[in-house]
Amino acid sequence: MENSIKHRLLSVAIFMLLNLHITIADLSSDTEALLKFASSVPHLRKLNWNSTLPICSSWFGVKCNDAGTRVTAVHLPGVGLYGRIPPNTIGKLDALKILSLRSNFLTGNLPSDIPSIPSLQSLYLQHNNFSGNIPLPLSPKITVLDLSFNSFSGNIPAAIKNLTRLTSLNLQFNSFSGAVPELNLTRLRLLNVSYNTLTGSIPESLQKFPVSAFEGNSFLCGQPLSLCSSSSSSPISLPSPAKHKKLSTGAIIGIAIGGLFVLILLAIFFVCCLKKKNDEDSVRSLKVKAVTAGKNEKSDDFGSGVQAAEKNKLVFLDGSGYNFDLEDLLRASAEVLGKGSYGTAYKAILDEETTVVVKRIREIGVAKKEFEQHMEFVGRIGKHPNIVPVCAYYFSKDEKLLVYEYMYSGSLSSLLHGNRGIGRTPLNWDSRVKISLESAKGIAHIHSEGGAKFNHGNIKSSNILLTKHLEGCVSDLGLAPLMNFLPTKSRFVGYYAPEVIETRKFTHKSDVYSFGVLLLEILTGKAPLPLPSSSQEEVVDLPRWVRSVVREEWTAEVFDVELMKEQHVEEEMVQMLQIGLACVTRVPDMRPSMEEVVRMISDLRPSESSDNRPSSEDNRSNVATP
Ligand SMILES: *[C@@H]1O[C@H](CO)[C@@H](O)[C@H](O)[C@H]1NC(C)=O
Ligand SMILES: *[C@@H]1O[C@H](CO)[C@@H](O)[C@H](O)[C@H]1NC(C)=O
Ligand SMILES: *[C@@H]1O[C@H](CO)[C@@H](O)[C@H](O)[C@H]1NC(C)=O
Ligand SMILES: *[C@@H]1O[C@H](CO)[C@@H](O)[C@H](O)[C@H]1NC(C)=O
Ligand SMILES: *[C@@H]1O[C@H](CO)[C@@H](O)[C@H](O)[C@H]1NC(C)=O
């Protein structure tokens, strides 16, 4: 009797010991996996994951089970994670139930070890830029799968129909193609596959979901959308029209446009060849020479999507004094200026007097009508000496062009960071103050004229362009509000306010934050960009860096070395630094308005009336100062 009790106790003790050992090992492997994740995926906000601190109680975004033996949830929404997630990091957390990495800038394939974590129940990856297929297998326990607002492609895997616990499936705004699989899942309450490139008919089991769950897929049909034109309910596969006698009207239009497009290309090609023979190389019809520093970029042209019937539909905005048509534009010699957030910019030389910048926009989130109204609005707001005006636009299904005035002295970014070395003329402090003030005035004008809902959304040094006389002008006005996506390349994220990373919404105050980063950039000569030397694409979080230097010791060390040679400017630089730091305050409501920023910068030099600035404007803004 006693023996058997002893025996039992002993075995329980041994079991507990073993168990303890196993759980400790598991928590340490969880720790290791998370540390590996933090070190291999760069992030803008500090996570404070430190192995000397207890993981279950102190690590940001990490939750454990009640016993504190395993990590069960990781919540890292909007912390500025960017780049790829390598396998064997998060995927190693094999007790994980909830993973939220939404609203970051993650790219590349989703490693297959993440959705297959056997315990995984909720996976929130919306608002990133993951691409590639949904990796298989999927954990059978998944109840919530949100992959919306990414660049996933391929088919929606049929394996989803085996996820019997699924309650919510969000796949909207991706590039999924093929048919929607039959998903006879009794618990599924929320489905959204809108804005993909899905085709075919909606399966019966999903017809109970509303229209908005399916819209934005031009070739999807059947309840609750319009009836499929073909009597068979099998999905239409576009690339093989021969197989199907009956095509949807959409498909026919698509093919017709495609055919027309090929014809036009041939015609253009023919015309070009003739021209080349006639007048040698003087006009480089349509061919665009890539002159991006050193890199041999693919030849490209901005007219390839222009349809013949619309050849003369270049729409000029009121008051632009230009006189050319679309054909002139397409015939102009052009070179690539750069690839921006939303498309490629070309410099097009029409004749000796006329040079314009053509922006070819990759994707626009609005329909033509809305776009036209928006451009009229932008045209009105853009009338200000410190804003680069939009002169004209072209909108067709395949091609969206915006034509801007060309600015001769390039961008503030290239003046600050380009060609550091021998032969460089540093940008002096006077010019930096002047350009800061002028750009601030441009942005303040956008805010006051555009109203509370209209903002710039893309303030950065490469969008501050300079006239012949080095006057700062804000460019790219009106583009950000048209886009569905936030650009996620690491060279943009350094200007985003923390709340933009979290909510994806721009406001006046987020413009102020970006402008604050710009001021810090002007002062420090450092760019909030990934360092070209580092393989990690590590972004300098400029506000954080400046605060850390300034906190430790208020020294001149933060300032650009090029400015240190100048006399009697340090006091102004310190004041400007304070303006910059006020703009990058984390709490949006604590940031000054753009109008206040203009006033503060003007107040740096209250006595100076008219050295190299347009005096009337300055006098006006100085009225309040005694
Ligand atoms: C972790 O915390 C310890 C003590 O708080 C500190 O000395 C150490 O620098 C921290 N390590 C990292 C990587 O932050
Ligand atoms: C679904 O599960 C069944 C049974 O477990 C299996 O045979 C089938 O291959 C699965 N289907 C998919 C598409 O994974
Ligand atoms: C869905 O499944 C239920 C039971 O699991 C079955 O009765 C029903 O016929 C199925 N519906 C479809 C459309 O396959
Ligand atoms: C689907 O997503 C789109 C875009 O976010 C949204 O407008 C629509 O209301 C959603 N529909 C449903 C049924 O959730
Ligand atoms: C997302 O990634 C795709 C390719 O992976 C790229 O073409 C696209 O420009 C990216 N989108 C954004 C908004 O960065």
Side-chain angles (χ1 to χ4, degrees):
M1 215 32 192
E2 246 191 22
N3 249 359
S4 104
I5 287 173
K6 261 188 196 159
H7 187 85
R8 263 203 214 154
L9 280 178
L10 191 68
S11 63
V12 167
I14 288 174
F15 175 78
M16 281 173 68
L17 261 177
L18 272 178
N19 208 26
L20 194 64
H21 178 76
I22 288 166
T23 52
I24 286 172
D26 284 343
L27 192 60
S28 72
S29 74
D30 286 353
T31 310
E32 196 184 317
L34 286 171
L35 285 175
K36 195 167 163 204
F37 173 77
S39 68
S40 52
V41 182
H43 38 277
L44 291 171
R45 310 289 158 221
K46 264 217 171 91
L47 295 179
N48 284 324
W49 288 359
N50 186 326
S51 48
T52 64
L53 299 172
I55 173 168
C56 292
S57 53
S58 303
W59 283 27
F60 176 79
V62 175
K63 288 210 170 63
C64 296
N65 55 1
D66 291 339
T69 51
R70 296 303 310 267
V71 170
T72 53
V74 173
H75 291 273
L76 298 173
V79 295
L81 293 162
Y82 58 93
R84 293 162 174 272
I85 305 180
N88 294 319
T89 55
I90 296 274
K92 283 279 191 196
L93 302 172
D94 55 12
L96 195 68
K97 290 181 181 166
I98 304 171
L99 175 63
S100 169
L101 301 176
R102 70 177 166 86
S103 308
N104 282 290
F105 304 101
L106 294 163
T107 55
N109 290 320
L110 178 66
S112 65
D113 59 2
I114 291 179
S116 61
I117 295 172
S119 51
L120 194 66
Q121 294 171 359
S122 304
L123 184 57
Y124 300 95
L125 301 177
Q126 66 269 36
H127 292 288
N128 280 284
N129 194 20
F130 285 110
S131 52
N133 294 333
I134 299 183
L136 298 176
L138 301 168
S139 156
K141 292 198 174 150
I142 288 183
T143 59
V144 177
L145 185 59
D146 195 334
L147 306 180
S148 58
F149 299 93
N150 276 285
S151 297
F152 282 108
S153 56
N155 291 331
I156 299 177
I160 290 183
K161 68 166 159 261
N162 275 359
L163 305 178
T164 52
R165 302 184 187 197
L166 197 65
T167 60
S168 163
L169 179 64
N170 284 85
L171 303 176
Q172 67 267 33
F173 284 100
N174 277 285
S175 303
F176 289 112
S177 54
V180 182
E182 176 79 57
L183 298 176
N184 188 6
L185 300 169
T186 47
R187 297 198 194 172
L188 191 63
R189 294 278 171 274
L190 203 157
L191 172 83
N192 203 335
V193 296
S194 59
Y195 299 95
N196 280 285
T197 52
L198 296 164
T199 53
S201 59
I202 294 166
E204 211 179 308
S205 56
L206 303 179
Q207 293 180 352
K208 62 184 178 209
F209 290 100
V211 173
S212 72
F214 300 101
E215 67 194 351
N217 291 286
S218 343
F219 297 109
L220 199 60
C221 63
Q223 280 292 344
L225 304 178
S226 57
L227 289 179
C228 299
S229 58
S230 152
S231 55
S232 92
S233 63
S234 70
I236 296 162
S237 76
L238 262 186
S240 51
K243 274 195 209 155
H244 297 265
K245 287 262 159 66
K246 287 182 188 167
L247 291 171
S248 73
T249 40
I252 292 168
I253 292 170
I255 291 164
I257 289 174
L260 190 62
F261 182 58
V262 170
L263 271 180
I264 293 165
L265 269 189
L266 277 176
I268 289 173
F269 182 71
F270 193 56
V271 170
C272 293
C273 289
L274 276 184
K275 242 206 148 77
K276 247 199 186 135
K277 260 187 203 145
N278 285 347
D279 48 40
E280 289 296 326
D281 248 348
S282 64
V283 184
R284 286 183 173 243
S285 302
L286 279 171
K287 281 271 168 270
V288 171
K289 211 175 30 175
V291 291
T292 325
K295 273 184 223 153
N296 236 342
E297 298 217 12
K298 233 174 56 192
S299 253
D300 201 358
D301 62 50
F302 56 73
S304 61
V306 172
Q307 290 158 36
E310 301 193 87
K311 273 250 151 131
N312 283 310
K313 289 206 186 140
L314 190 63
V315 183
F316 284 89
L317 293 170
D318 246 13
S320 82
Y322 287 113
N323 179 25
F324 54 84
D325 61 22
L326 192 58
E327 280 186 71
D328 296 333
L329 197 61
L330 297 181
R331 224 183 291 125
S333 83
E335 64 188 41
V336 175
L337 285 175
K339 306 224 162 170
S341 328
Y342 302 119
T344 308
Y346 305 82
K347 171 183 172 185
I349 303 171
L350 290 148
D351 55 49
E352 295 77 38
E353 267 115 69
T354 321
T355 302
V356 293
V357 170
V358 181
K359 272 208 174 150
R360 183 186 200 184
I361 314 298
R362 251 180 263 118
E363 232 175 275
I364 277 181
V366 299
K368 181 163 183 168
K369 189 101 203 116
E370 213 177 315
F371 178 80
E372 286 169 350
Q373 286 168 355
H374 181 78
M375 289 322 293
E376 286 299 324
F377 181 65
V378 168
R380 276 202 308 278
I381 295 176
K383 290 207 189 79
H384 185 272
N386 300 121
I387 296 176
V388 181
V390 187
C391 324
Y393 65 86
Y394 172 85
F395 188 106
S396 74
K397 186 168 162 292
D398 304 299
E399 191 75 79
K400 283 106 192 151
L401 305 175
L402 290 180
V403 182
Y404 291 87
E405 212 167 86
Y406 178 70
M407 293 286 136
Y408 282 86
S409 304
S411 73
L412 177 61
S413 172
S414 62
L415 279 193
L416 282 176
H417 314 297
N419 183 31
R420 286 227 164 194
I422 329 153
R424 170 183 160 83
T425 333
L427 194 58
N428 65 22
W429 178 242
D430 272 354
S431 307
R432 294 189 199 202
V433 173
K434 180 171 161 293
I435 293 168
S436 308
L437 181 62
E438 286 158 349
S439 344
K441 283 178 179 169
I443 303 167
H445 176 83
I446 294 169
H447 288 179
S448 70
E449 292 299 301
K453 291 230 174 86
F454 190 82
N455 42 64
H456 186 283
N458 200 8
I459 304 288
K460 54 181 180 172
S461 59
S462 54
N463 272 342
I464 304 297
L465 303 184
L466 303 160
T467 65
K468 274 179 191 149
H469 310 293
L470 284 195
E471 282 149 351
C473 291
V474 181
S475 80
D476 234 21
L477 174 62
L479 271 183
L482 288 175
M483 303 298 160
N484 284 328
F485 287 95
L486 210 56
T488 57
K489 296 219 177 73
S490 49
R491 65 197 152 101
F492 307 123
V493 300
Y495 292 94
Y496 290 151
E499 77 275 8
V500 169
I501 294 176
E502 167 72 31
T503 63
R504 312 266 139 167
K505 297 224 161 55
F506 295 104
T507 58
H508 285 185
K509 294 291 187 180
S510 68
D511 278 349
V512 172
Y513 183 96
S514 305
F515 183 76
V517 176
L518 184 83
L519 284 185
L520 299 182
E521 182 177 356
I522 287 173
L523 282 161
T524 60
K526 282 190 193 306
L529 306 172
L531 307 168
S533 56
S534 95
S535 54
Q536 272 284 319
E537 284 222 317
E538 194 76 57
V539 174
V540 181
D541 182 342
L542 209 45
R544 190 166 86 202
W545 181 79
V546 170
R547 278 191 210 109
S548 72
V549 175
V550 168
R551 198 180 302 125
E552 272 159 30
E553 205 179 345
W554 185 270
T555 61
E557 233 158 79
V558 289
F559 298 121
D560 190 349
V561 282
E562 287 185 346
L563 292 173
M564 298 319 291
K565 297 170 201 135
E566 295 190 41
Q567 308 280 312
H568 315 300
V569 297
E570 192 168 333
E571 198 182 316
E572 279 183 7
M573 290 187 341
V574 170
Q575 282 173 37
M576 187 73 103
L577 188 67
Q578 272 154 351
I579 301 172
L581 286 172
C583 293
V584 298
T585 309
R586 288 193 68 103
V587 182
D589 287 340
M590 309 260 288
R591 294 172 204 150
S593 71
M594 229 32 236
E595 210 139 311
E596 287 167 318
V597 173
V598 170
R599 200 166 50 238
M600 289 189 278
I601 300 178
S602 319
D603 286 352
L604 283 183
R605 297 175 166 181
S607 57
E608 186 183 291
S609 52
S610 63
D611 246 19
N612 40 16
R613 284 177 286 168
S615 54
S616 61
E617 293 242 340
D618 275 318
N619 288 344
R620 226 186 302 141
S621 49
N622 280 342
V623 167
T625 27

